[in-house]
């Protein structure tokens, strides 16, 4: 059965896009909200944690240039899965509240989101172009 012909399949794809979109934003937007508590837990000055808000942007700048090479080498589905796995790994690493794990996790999150920022338009385009009934030429979603 083609997922486009099923209401559950369409709902699932829309839900996947929303969830991946929130996974791409939440790890970056929540850090500034908890900097005070995080500084207390790490016993460092709050100003020294500014690196945690800067690192993702630096990772975007550096690693988004290589996303197309990863895409060519691994294929779309594997590249997307790898980026999501890196994002989950980075988020899990940041759960261990030490400065090295926070920095390492933030770097991994930045790399993953840099790749996802490049991959997601290719994922969303065929789904929503000309309505949900559009059939792409590639076999990406079949």
């Amino acid at each position: 059965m083609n997922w486009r012909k099923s209401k559950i399949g369409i709902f699932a794809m829309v839900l996947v896009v929303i969830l991946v979109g929130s996974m791409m934003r939440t790890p970056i937007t929540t850090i500034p909200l908890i900097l005070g508590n995080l500084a207390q837990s790490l016993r460092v000055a709050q100003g020294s944690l500014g690196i945690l808000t800067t690192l993702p942007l630096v990772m975007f700048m550096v690693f988004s240039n290589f996303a197309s090479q990863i895409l060519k080498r691994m294929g779309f589905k594997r590249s997307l899965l790898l980026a999501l796995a890196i994002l989950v790994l980075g988020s899990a690493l940041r759960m261990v509240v030490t400065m090295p794990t926070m920095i390492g996790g933030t770097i991994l999150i930045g790399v993953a989101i840099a790749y996802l920022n490049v991959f997601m338009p290719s994922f969303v385009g065929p789904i929503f172009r000309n309505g949900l009934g559009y059939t792409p030429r590639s076999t990406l979603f079949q």
Side-chain angles (χ1 to χ4, degrees):
M1 173 184 271
N2 190 347
W3 65 267
R4 284 180 189 81
K5 294 180 182 176
S6 156
K7 289 183 181 182
I8 294 173
I10 292 170
F11 176 75
M13 273 302 190
V14 170
L15 186 63
V16 165
V17 170
I18 291 170
L19 289 175
V20 171
S22 68
M23 285 176 59
M24 291 171 56
R25 302 297 172 242
T26 305
I28 295 172
T29 58
T30 56
I31 288 291
L33 300 174
I34 62 167
L35 274 180
N37 295 337
L38 192 57
Q40 285 179 343
S41 296
L42 293 172
R43 294 186 176 100
V44 296
Q46 191 169 342
S48 65
L49 294 178
I51 191 158
L52 295 177
T53 59
T54 305
L55 275 174
L57 300 175
V58 173
M59 296 300 110
F60 294 168
M61 180 185 71
V62 172
F63 285 94
S64 61
N65 297 320
F66 304 111
S68 63
Q69 293 172 354
I70 299 292
L71 202 57
K72 286 179 189 175
R73 189 172 296 150
M74 295 181 66
F76 185 78
K77 289 178 184 178
R78 287 184 181 167
S79 300
L80 188 62
L81 185 61
L82 176 67
L84 290 170
I86 292 171
L87 182 65
V88 169
L89 178 65
S91 296
L93 195 58
R94 280 200 327 192
M95 286 184 196
V96 180
V97 184
T98 65
M99 197 61 167
T101 57
M102 294 295 290
I103 290 174
T106 302
I107 288 171
L108 288 176
I109 288 169
V111 170
I113 294 174
Y115 288 153
L116 287 171
N117 278 333
V118 175
F119 298 160
M120 285 309 288
S122 299
F123 179 74
V124 172
I127 295 172
F128 295 104
R129 188 176 299 130
N130 298 327
L132 289 169
Y134 176 75
T135 304
R137 293 183 185 196
S138 71
T139 59
L140 180 65
F141 303 110
Q142 300 183 16

